[in-house]
Amino acid sequence: MRMDKLTNQLQTALADAQSLALGKDHNFIEPVHLLSALLDQQGGSTRPLLQKAGANIVGLELGAKSAIEALPTVSDTGGDIHMSNDLGRILNVTDKLAQQGGDTYISSELVLLAMLESKTSAGELLKGSGVTPVDLQGAIETMRGGEAVDNPEAEES
């Protein structure tokens, strides 16, 4: 995956997810780290999008924090941290969704859609908070107003 094809918001969220995993002594960045980073992002599109899709945001946040705390920790990693296979698959699916939708850049909302359809704890948390693929897709279409993601600042406007 080419990092330069991610929107600025998604690049920041991935960096925040990495920092969160590192701070918790996890040796892998998991989808739930990214979900938590997206939810905590100031000025991001994740919260409004999920609210529009009918999510229980507070329950989702609590669930994500609980899932992160339950992950195994390792000591003395020396800062060596990797993306998990699950997160890699989600980002690949997101890339495919972006291409299918005619987007030049990969955005956070498509990550949420890929997460929702995954068999990961992040996907289960999204489903458990009341989000369905149909509702999320509808919220994405409403938010975008028919526009494709054609620049890295698209989520900021």
Side-chain angles (χ1 to χ4, degrees), residues 31-32 34-36 38-39 46 49-51 53-57 59-61 63-64 90 108-118 120-133 135-136:
V32 72
L34 181 55
L35 177 60
S36 183
L38 286 167
L39 288 168
T46 300
L49 180 69
L50 288 174
Q51 286 172 329
N56 171 356
I57 300 293
L60 187 56
E61 282 181 311
I90 286 170
S108 301
E109 63 261 19
L110 294 182
V111 169
L112 293 171
L113 193 56
M115 263 184 208
L116 181 61
E117 295 174 352
S118 73
T120 65
S121 61
E124 296 305 315
L125 286 167
L126 285 165
K127 289 173 197 148
S129 75
V131 180
T132 67
D135 290 339
L136 184 56

Side-chain angles (χ1 to χ4, degrees), residues 13-22 26-35 37 71 80-88 90-91:
L14 279 168
D16 291 346
Q18 179 179 2
S19 181
L20 176 60
L22 188 63
H26 300 147
N27 59 344
F28 290 103
I29 308 165
E30 297 289 348
V32 72
H33 290 116
L34 181 55
L35 177 60
L71 291 170
D80 192 22
I81 190 166
H82 304 281
M83 185 183 308
S84 74
N85 289 337
D86 286 339
L87 184 54
I90 286 170
L91 292 175

Side-chain angles (χ1 to χ4, degrees), residues 86-104:
D86 286 339
L87 184 54
R89 277 190 289 276
I90 286 170
L91 292 175
N92 287 337
V93 168
T94 304
D95 189 359
K96 185 174 182 179
L97 290 171
Q99 290 177 36
Q100 289 172 343
D103 294 342
T104 308

